[in-house]
Amino acid sequence: DLSTDVRHATVEYVTRSHASGTLRSWLAEDDGGPIGLVSLIATEVPPTPSDTRPFDGYVINLWVSPDRRRRGVGRMLLDTVVAHGRTHGFRRVNLLATEAGHPLYAAAGFAANPDVLELHLPR
């Protein structure tokens, strides 16, 4: 079953990556219950002549409970990730945005990068 395989692989990834410190996550709670979550993948990058900071960050799984959306929870989580990047030597923080998420990310200062090219490799 594909969904079982994906769940199993996700649990393994999260467990391994949190243990190594490459995945960092923040949980927003209200009245003891979860209302939002965001994770950041930290990738070591080599120094360049213009920037010797050691990390790039990739935001994944920014989620806010549907009944708590448009109340600042997503922005608080995103601001937390960006602050973490600033204080821990990240050069940049990037993400793939859904159309619904574009206004939040643009308001936080994220912008499209036309210089990024990608090649999807077949299985």
Side-chain angles (χ1 to χ4, degrees):
D1 178 14
L2 180 60
S3 63
T4 300
D5 291 345
V6 171
R7 272 194 299 262
H8 181 71
T10 300
V11 168
E12 285 183 3
Y13 172 78
V14 169
T15 301
R16 181 180 65 251
S17 299
H18 272 155
S20 73
T22 58
L23 182 67
R24 299 142 193 214
S25 298
W26 292 265
L27 178 68
E29 294 180 306
D30 188 21
D31 298 326
I35 60 169
L37 172 73
V38 68
S39 294
L40 178 72
I41 299 170
T43 303
E44 265 193 274
V45 293
T48 66
S50 63
D51 200 334
T52 60
R53 291 175 290 173
F55 299 106
D56 274 354
Y58 181 64
V59 176
I60 62 169
N61 300 335
L62 176 56
W63 171 84
V64 175
S65 177
D67 64 327
R68 299 301 176 101
R69 291 181 183 160
R70 304 217 182 277
R71 296 184 186 182
V73 176
R75 181 60 188 255
M76 178 194 64
L77 288 165
L78 191 59
D79 288 349
T80 299
V81 166
V82 171
H84 178 84
R86 283 194 175 109
T87 60
H88 288 87
F90 284 59
R91 286 184 202 175
R92 69 184 145 233
V93 174
N94 59 58
L95 52 81
L96 289 176
T98 62
E99 192 170 323
H102 274 265
L104 169 65
Y105 304 130
F110 284 78
N113 181 349
D115 296 330
V116 174
L117 305 175
E118 59 184 30
L119 172 65
H120 290 265
L121 302 175
R123 289 179 162 232

